[in-house]
Amino acid sequence: MTRPLVITDCDEVLMHMVVPFAQWVDEEHGVIFRMEDTSFAGALKRKECGTPLEAAEVWPLLDGFFRTEMPRQYPIPGALSAMAEIARHADIVVLTNVGPDHQAARMAQLAALGLDAPVIGSRGGKGEPVRALIEERRPPVAVFIDDLANHHHSVAIEAPDVWRLHMVGEPAIADKVPAARHAHARIDDWAAAQDWILARLAEKAPAPAPEAV
C-alpha cells in the first residue's frame, strides 16, 4: 500500500526567505523590502526615492537571489525536526515555486540540512502539480502546506481531497498575511503544525468537500 503524502512549500514554511532576501536587495541593489500588506511586489521600493519597483523588475531580483544567495537562508524553527518525524509516517515532496532552473540547488540546500526529499521546482499555481502527484502516488491521505493563499485556492480546485495547511513561518510577515480562506487550518508554529499534520495522517480520511471555489 502506498504511504501517506505530505507536499510542502519551502520558503517561509521550511526556510526563512524574506529576511535574507531583504538584507541582500538592500546591500546589493539599493532596494528596501518592507511588507505592509499582502503584496510582495509592493513591498520592494528604491531606497533613494521610495518609488515601488515595476512588476517586471521583481522576478529578476528573485531569480538572482535563488541563483547565488540561497546560503543566506536558514531553517524556520522546528521545521526540520517536524519533517523528520513526519517522514516516519509519510512520504514528503517539496513543491517550491523557484522554477526548474533552481530545483537542483534547492534539493541540495535541503539535503545539506538533513531533509533528503524530492523537490519539484514549479511555476504558477500549485493545484496541477499537486493533482499530478496524487494521481501518480495514490496516497491514502495527503496534506499540502504553503504560505500563499492563491496556492490553497488552486489546490482546492484541482485536488479537493487534499488537506490544506496555511503556514507563514516568518514572524516578520505573518501578521500581515490573513488566513487563507481555502485552507483547512492556519498554523504558523511547527510544534502545533506537526501535531495537526500527524492527526490528519492517522485519520487516513480525505479532506472535507470545500466551499464554493
Side-chain angles (χ1 to χ4, degrees):
M1 183 178 179
T2 57
R3 301 183 81 209
L5 180 62
V6 172
I7 305 165
T8 181
D9 184 32
C10 183
D11 296 314
E12 315 313 347
V13 174
L14 302 178
M15 301 288 287
H16 289 279
M17 184 268 173
V18 294
V19 169
F21 176 75
Q23 293 168 346
W24 177 67
V25 293
D26 187 352
E27 295 166 7
E28 301 296 330
H29 296 277
V31 170
I32 295 173
F33 179 90
R34 186 174 294 117
M35 199 162 176
E36 298 171 351
D37 53 30
T38 58
S39 171
F40 184 92
L44 293 161
K45 298 177 174 65
R46 292 176 179 83
K47 192 190 302 189
E48 62 182 18
C49 60
T51 58
L53 269 62
E54 300 293 332
E57 298 176 276
V58 175
W59 174 249
L61 283 178
L62 286 168
D63 181 67
F65 178 82
F66 292 128
R67 195 169 299 282
T68 64
E69 305 301 319
M70 276 191 189
R72 290 177 179 254
Q73 294 187 264
Y74 50 99
I76 300 288
L80 297 178
S81 59
M83 286 290 109
E85 177 59 27
I86 290 165
R88 296 178 59 241
H89 306 273
D91 290 338
I92 295 170
V93 174
V94 179
L95 178 60
T96 171
N97 260 15
V98 295
D101 290 350
H102 305 302
Q103 178 174 302
R106 173 122 290 172
M107 186 178 296
Q109 176 192 45
L110 295 173
L113 294 169
L115 178 54
D116 189 11
V119 173
I120 300 172
S122 64
R123 292 274 177 82
K126 293 186 177 179
E128 289 187 9
V130 166
R131 184 184 64 198
L133 282 166
I134 298 303
E135 291 174 349
E136 173 192 347
R137 293 174 176 249
R138 301 291 181 184
V141 61
V143 177
F144 172 76
I145 314 163
D146 206 283
D147 65 313
L148 297 180
N150 61 300
H151 293 314
H152 289 282
H153 188 193
S154 177
V155 173
I157 293 169
E158 299 290 343
D161 287 348
V162 173
W163 289 94
R164 299 178 295 281
L165 173 61
H166 187 200
M167 169 179 279
V168 184
E170 173 50 70
I173 63 171
D175 64 347
K176 311 290 194 305
V177 181
R181 186 165 69 89
H182 297 287
H184 295 100
R186 166 71 180 267
I187 306 172
D188 295 336
D189 169 73
W190 262 112
Q194 174 181 313
D195 290 343
W196 187 90
I197 293 164
L198 292 177
R200 304 291 80 72
L201 299 180
E203 290 167 1
K204 290 187 171 62
E211 298 177 5
V213 294

